[in-house]
Amino acid sequence: MADAPAAKPFPIPLSYFGIALGTAGLGMSWRYAATVGQAPAWPGESLLALAGVVWLLLMLAWFAKFLAFRPAFRADFQDLVQCCFISLIPITTIMSGLSLRPYAAAPAEVLIYLGIVGQLVFAMYRAAGLWRGLHTSKATTPIIYLPTVATSFVSAMAMSAMQQPEIATLFFGAGVLSWMSLEAAILGRLRTETAIDPKVRGIIGIQLAPAFVGCSAYFGINGGQVDMVALMLIGYGTLQLLFLLRLLPWVLEGGFTMSLWGFSFGLAAMAGCGMHLVVLNPRLALLGHALWGIGTALVGLLWLYTLLSIVRGRFFVRG
């Protein structure tokens, strides 16, 4: 008897939500630059509008997956790697709310609270569920920052924006301590286990995010001051940038893949942290300009390659 045909893959992976996340993050950085008189308003607002459109299209695709590709939808929750990307859905929902808030506060706050509740529920399912001995060293990559670290930092940003500094601090603390608890395990796996497959090595770029995204969250809590904690986070983030630049030829051995969007949120937050240095710490303005320029340029490069992938018919996953 012949084997049953393999299930048809869904053409848009969950990881594509990283496009919306990185674009929104860069838009937020440019929005901040506009508020301090370092840039016009239109680039940031245009990036945020673009991120919102991408987020909405991806949400529609995800619902279509639920309706018409039910086995693939269930498989995402069971896969130790893909499962973490589900966190991008509440994260981008929160970011969409933050983007919309200056224009429509009530709908924006609904999105923010939905995203926060969603990320907490999923973290309970994903992160706590693995305490039963279900995880593997192979799956211990920077992706596992998403359910607890990235979600907590973005929730902290949102609560700061909504003038709730105490709740923002709760989320910031959850993000920092989750980061510290995962960092050693992730670096140990990267150093001693089998190298990540070339086709998905872009996920290592997520390693750039905790320090810079955490610093962005901290700026919301401390009123945007470049104090000792902020400088420590920027310093560690800059060190991670240097490491990743050294590894870039290795990361690109598999060519350009959409996994490289794993760099985007860290790069976007890095740009915003750089602008804080430019504005508030003249002695570090050169570093600030470098972080701002590199972050903006590389996210732009990701968009260029993504558009080329669409034109060449390589954007969608094929069976």
Side-chain angles (χ1 to χ4, degrees):
M1 185 174 178
D3 293 335
K8 183 179 180 182
F10 192 69
I12 303 176
L14 282 167
S15 60
Y16 282 20
F17 275 93
I19 302 172
L21 181 58
T23 307
L26 188 61
M28 288 292 181
S29 293
W30 275 81
R31 177 181 278 180
Y32 168 73
T35 64
V36 294
Q38 296 293 312
W42 68 264
E45 300 311 307
S46 298
L47 285 167
L48 292 171
L50 175 61
V53 171
V54 173
W55 170 77
L56 184 58
L57 292 174
L58 290 170
M59 287 297 294
L60 292 173
W62 190 60
F63 284 122
K65 186 176 188 177
F66 171 75
L67 294 174
F69 292 77
R70 198 68 61 88
F73 182 86
R74 288 194 296 265
D76 286 337
F77 283 85
Q78 298 162 357
D79 188 281
L80 290 177
V81 175
Q82 290 299 316
C83 189
C84 288
F85 286 120
I86 296 173
S87 294
L88 292 175
I89 296 173
I91 293 173
T92 51
T93 300
I94 296 170
M95 294 294 286
S96 296
L98 287 171
S99 302
L100 183 63
R101 195 164 180 269
Y103 304 101
E109 291 182 6
V110 169
L111 288 176
I112 289 169
Y113 283 121
L114 283 174
I116 290 174
V117 171
Q119 67 94 349
L120 288 171
V121 170
F122 181 70
M124 290 169 62
Y125 166 78
R126 166 64 179 170
L130 295 178
W131 289 8
R132 297 170 293 177
L134 302 178
H135 206 55
T136 66
S137 60
K138 185 178 180 180
T140 306
T141 69
I143 292 175
I144 66 174
Y145 286 131
L146 296 177
T148 55
V149 181
T151 54
S152 294
F153 285 154
V154 173
S155 296
M157 292 179 199
M159 290 296 97
S160 294
M162 295 171 66
Q163 306 303 314
Q164 298 190 45
E166 295 85 1
I167 299 178
T169 303
L170 292 176
F171 279 117
F172 178 72
V176 168
L177 294 177
S178 295
W179 172 23
M180 295 298 102
S181 71
L182 294 171
E183 179 97 347
I186 292 169
L187 293 181
R189 179 261 185 269
L190 293 177
R191 288 168 178 153
T192 62
E193 301 288 338
T194 304
I196 297 172
D197 188 287
K199 294 181 180 179
V200 294
R201 278 185 190 163
I203 62 174
I204 201 174
I206 299 173
Q207 191 66 29
L208 182 66
F212 286 122
V213 178
C215 188
S216 298
Y218 180 68
F219 280 140
I221 294 168
N222 81 344
Q225 300 303 308
V226 182
D227 59 17
M228 184 180 72
V229 174
L231 289 174
M232 290 171 63
L233 291 168
I234 292 172
Y236 187 70
T238 302
L239 182 64
Q240 299 305 296
L241 174 65
L242 295 175
F243 288 173
L244 290 167
L245 289 175
R246 181 262 184 267
L247 290 173
L248 200 55
W250 174 78
V251 172
L252 293 174
E253 281 181 0
F256 176 84
T257 67
M258 294 300 292
S259 71
L260 289 169
W261 276 96
F263 281 82
S264 65
F265 197 28
L267 290 170
M270 183 179 81
C273 292
M275 184 53 63
H276 276 80
L277 292 180
V278 170
V279 174
L280 299 172
N281 195 316
R283 287 180 293 181
L284 293 175
L286 181 61
L287 174 62
H289 281 296
L291 297 179
W292 169 261
I294 292 170
T296 297
L298 291 183
V299 175
L301 192 61
L302 286 172
W303 259 109
L304 175 62
Y305 276 110
T306 299
L307 293 173
L308 288 174
S309 295
I310 294 171
V311 170
R312 295 171 179 172
R314 299 175 182 173
F315 180 77
F316 297 105
V317 174
R318 302 182 185 275

